[in-house]
């Protein structure tokens, strides 16, 4: 038993390329092209955001949706327009969002657009609230909880999706990264309720929430609907900064207790989310304990375990540092 635990620990640690440890050597590529690459810059800058997009080798073509969180009014940890402007404009992207299911300042299109304007996003690119004119259903293939994923109807107008996520904690999911951004984020307001209730209601889900793992699995299933829809017309970039335990959907998020990690990107959303969580765990920043507690207390890693099981991607990856 102890040997098995040690081997599991070794596997987690050695996944993060460049980690120095007495019992773990730097991971080397074994030529296995099936292991997805996760690229990384430690320095967070507009220039590096463009460079990491280019490193992925997948050009965003046609009408490009850039999915990010415009941030709840009162919050301040969301990705700043000055950081993302160069990338969004390079791909001639439209910033896309859907209305929330929890009330707040972005529950309807008018107020959501006002929040986007107040936070500076409308000054750098067009902003489309995709469920302003309703929703459409995308099939969930092989789902245990969901058979359909309800997304903003405007989403079908786009040819390519850049999933630009702020990696941080989350009160319900444990953490928010690429998978949450394409599942909850692209879902319509009613679709968000559908995911949160594990397919029980498109109305108010908050009074009768399902078991936690059912919710986490529903997020992965909704993400699969998006990935199946997009094929290879999607890529994933996450900025691990302002690492609060709370999401950008929180109007009063707790201040970050640990320092920034960097920019990461991949063509595999499971690998990207796993790399971000791994880098939190191996950080030498003592403040990481708060974010780790948030992730583990919500069983957040189950989203990746189940996502891998249903074919979203791989928890094994090669970390390629670009600094």
């Amino acid at each position: 038993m102890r040997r098995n635990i040690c081997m599991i620990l070794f596997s987690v640690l050695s996944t993060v390329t460049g980690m120095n440890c007495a019992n773990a050597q730097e991971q080397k590529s074994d030529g296995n092209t099936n292991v997805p690459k996760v690229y990384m810059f430690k320095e967070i800058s507009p220039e590096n955001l463009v460079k990491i997009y280019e490193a992925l080798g997948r050009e965003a073509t046609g009408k490009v949706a850039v999915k990010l969180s415009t941030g709840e009014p009162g919050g301040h940890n969301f990705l700043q327009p000055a950081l993302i402007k160069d990338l969004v404009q390079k791909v001639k992207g439209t910033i896309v969002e859907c209305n929330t299911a929890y009330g707040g300042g972005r529950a309807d299109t008018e107020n959501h657009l006002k929040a986007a304007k107040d936070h500076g996003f409308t000054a750098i690119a067009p902003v489309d609230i995709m469920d302003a004119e309703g929703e459409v259903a995308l099939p969930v293939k092989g789902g245990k909880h969901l058979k359909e994923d309800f997304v903003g109807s405007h989403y079908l107008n786009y040819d390519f999706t850049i999933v630009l996520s702020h990696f941080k904690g989350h009160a319900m999911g444990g953490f928010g990264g690429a998978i949450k951004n394409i599942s909850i984020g692209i879902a319509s307001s009613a679709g968000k309720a559908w995911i949160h209730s594990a397919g029980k209601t498109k109305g108010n889900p908050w009074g009768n929430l399902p078991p936690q793992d059912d919710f986490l699995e529903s997020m992965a299933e909704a993400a699969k609907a998006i990935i199946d829809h997009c094929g290879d017309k999607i890529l994933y970039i996450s900025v691990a900064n302002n690492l609060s335990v709370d999401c950008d959907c929180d109007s009063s998020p707790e201040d970050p207790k640990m320092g920034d990690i960097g920019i990461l990107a991949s063509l595999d959303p499971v690998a990207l989310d796993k790399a971000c969580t791994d880098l939190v765990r191996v950080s030498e920043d003592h403040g990481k304990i708060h974010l780790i507690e948030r992730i583990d207390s919500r069983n957040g890693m189950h989203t990746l375990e189940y996502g891998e099981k249903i074919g979203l991607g791989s928890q094994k990856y090669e970390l390629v540092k670009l600094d």
Side-chain angles (χ1 to χ4, degrees):
M1 177 65 73
R2 289 187 62 187
R3 175 177 172 82
N4 288 340
I5 293 172
C6 290
M7 290 301 293
I8 292 169
L9 180 60
F10 174 80
S11 176
V12 169
L13 295 179
S14 63
T15 298
V16 185
T17 302
M19 178 187 176
N20 293 317
C21 179
N23 296 314
Q25 299 297 319
E26 182 173 345
Q27 178 176 309
K28 302 294 184 182
S29 173
D30 59 2
N32 185 353
T33 57
N34 293 323
V35 176
K37 288 182 170 59
V38 177
Y39 297 93
M40 178 182 180
F41 278 108
K42 285 187 178 180
E43 181 186 353
I44 299 172
S45 69
E47 295 79 12
N48 284 348
L49 201 57
V50 172
K51 288 179 181 178
I52 208 165
Y53 156 71
E54 293 173 340
L56 291 173
R58 179 176 288 178
E59 183 181 2
T61 56
K63 187 173 184 181
V64 178
V66 180
K67 175 63 191 76
L68 55 81
S69 173
T70 50
E72 190 66 19
H76 49 271
N77 291 330
F78 53 85
L79 299 182
Q80 294 299 306
L83 174 64
I84 69 170
K85 176 182 176 181
D86 290 353
L87 174 60
V88 174
Q89 293 186 353
K90 176 181 177 63
V91 299
K92 299 180 175 60
T94 298
I95 293 170
V96 301
E97 274 270 56
C98 281
N99 291 316
T100 65
Y102 54 79
R106 297 181 297 148
D108 62 83
T109 300
E110 181 180 358
N111 282 312
H112 203 153
L113 286 171
K114 182 180 185 301
K117 180 179 180 181
D118 291 345
H119 290 166
F121 292 105
T122 59
I124 67 167
V127 175
D128 181 6
I129 307 303
M130 295 187 293
D131 60 342
E133 298 176 294
E135 64 186 26
V136 295
L138 297 179
V140 176
K141 300 173 184 176
K144 181 165 62 173
H145 307 285
L146 308 182
K147 301 303 180 186
E148 294 178 302
D149 178 34
F150 299 96
V151 305
S153 62
H154 294 182
Y155 187 57
L156 299 187
N157 297 335
Y158 295 92
D159 304 304
F160 196 103
T161 304
I162 293 179
V163 183
L164 183 53
S165 308
H166 173 212
F167 177 83
K168 69 288 174 188
H170 190 272
M172 296 187 72
F175 69 92
I179 291 176
K180 177 185 175 293
N181 198 10
I182 57 175
S183 56
I184 300 290
I186 294 178
S188 65
S189 178
K192 289 175 170 62
W194 188 245
I195 297 168
H196 274 288
S197 67
K200 299 298 188 294
T201 182
K202 293 171 71 179
N204 186 341
W206 309 116
N208 189 25
L209 292 173
Q212 175 68 0
D213 282 0
D214 289 0
F215 161 59
L216 299 175
E217 291 169 3
S218 296
M219 279 204 300
E221 291 178 1
K224 187 174 189 299
I226 299 298
I227 292 169
D228 288 346
H229 170 76
C230 291
D232 63 356
K233 302 296 184 181
I234 191 168
L235 59 83
Y236 312 90
I237 302 173
S238 292
V239 182
N241 71 345
N242 295 321
L243 291 162
S244 172
V245 298
D246 292 320
C247 180
D248 297 339
C249 57
D250 193 323
S251 62
S252 301
E254 184 174 321
D255 289 337
K257 297 295 193 298
M258 68 176 295
D260 298 346
I261 290 174
I263 305 172
L264 295 93
S266 183
L267 300 179
D268 183 318
V270 175
L272 178 57
D273 280 355
K274 184 61 161 59
C276 288
T277 58
D278 281 348
L279 287 167
V280 169
R281 294 181 190 278
V282 301
S283 170
E284 296 180 356
D285 190 327
H286 181 68
K288 70 182 183 180
I289 61 174
H290 303 281
L291 185 50
I292 293 172
E293 189 279 334
R294 175 57 56 93
I295 294 170
D296 292 347
S297 65
R298 271 63 169 180
N299 200 25
M301 301 308 294
H302 183 63
T303 306
L304 305 187
E305 294 162 1
Y306 185 73
E308 185 175 48
K309 181 178 178 180
I310 64 174
L312 289 189
S314 169
Q315 292 192 85
K316 295 180 180 179
Y317 60 89
E318 178 186 354
L319 188 64
V320 181
K321 295 182 178 180
L322 301 176
D323 288 286

